[in-house]
Amino acid sequence: MHERQLMMTTKSIMAVAVLAALISTSASAQMIIYPAKGQSAQQQQKDEAECYTWAKGQTGYDPAQATQPVAPPPPPQQSTGGERAQGAVRGALGGAAIGAIAGDTGKGAAIGAVGGTMVGGARQRKKQEANDQASAQYQQQVAQQQQNAAQQQQNFQRAYAACFEGRGYTVK
């Protein structure tokens, strides 16, 4: 149980680190626009507004309205633990009943407990696999949302820069 919690904590920390990297990348990706043909400050302001509107129309993305992607809530985890003990008890009860019929209740209970423990272990592994799969799908959804948001912002910045370059500015 402790190992699973450690793994979930590690995955959460990794997701936060990826999100932080995306945020810092977009913040550092600010463009520098130089009026290469001697455009006035007033003309540059006008061009900024027009290029912003044009880039927004071309990409369908508005950085002023953009929000950080919100990941869906993590999937509910099936509780694991105790399946082997429960299986042993069930097996022992069933084995005792069969052993009573065969004439040796103790031996039947022991055999049933061993079999029940194995079945309980299989159930526990199956639940853990389902939890791991759900967690992996969740992490994949989060990463996909973050990637989509970064791609939209990059497309907007490319369109914005193209507009400025078309108007005689140098963009870096």
Side-chain angles (χ1 to χ4, degrees), residues 15-37:
V16 169
V18 168
L19 182 60
L22 285 173
I23 291 170
S24 66
T25 299
S26 64
S28 66
Q30 298 298 321
M31 291 180 266
I32 298 172
I33 301 164
Y34 178 75
K37 293 188 177 178

Side-chain angles (χ1 to χ4, degrees), residues 108-143:
I111 292 171
V114 170
T117 301
M118 292 172 37
V119 170
R123 283 187 183 136
Q124 184 174 359
R125 283 188 297 279
K126 197 177 260 188
K127 281 184 180 180
Q128 187 60 47
E129 287 171 5
N131 286 345
D132 291 346
Q133 184 179 11
S135 180
Q137 288 174 343
Y138 172 73
Q139 294 296 328
Q140 188 176 13
Q141 285 176 334
V142 169

Side-chain angles (χ1 to χ4, degrees), residues 7 12 46-47 50 54 56 72 76-77 81 83 88 92 111 137 150-151 155 165 169:
M7 183 178 287
S12 296
K46 180 181 177 213
D47 290 339
E50 290 175 1
W54 183 81
K56 185 171 73 171
Q77 299 288 306
E83 284 85 356
I111 292 171
Q137 288 174 343
Q151 184 65 44
N155 289 343
E165 288 172 354
Y169 292 84

Side-chain angles (χ1 to χ4, degrees), residues 91-112:
L93 290 173
I98 293 171
I101 295 170
D104 193 349
T105 306
K107 188 174 182 181
I111 292 171

Side-chain angles (χ1 to χ4, degrees), residues 45-70:
Q45 280 184 326
K46 180 181 177 213
D47 290 339
E48 283 176 2
E50 290 175 1
C51 285
Y52 185 92
T53 301
W54 183 81
K56 185 171 73 171
Q58 292 297 307
T59 63
Y61 177 76
D62 185 356
Q65 301 298 319
T67 59
Q68 290 299 324
V70 177

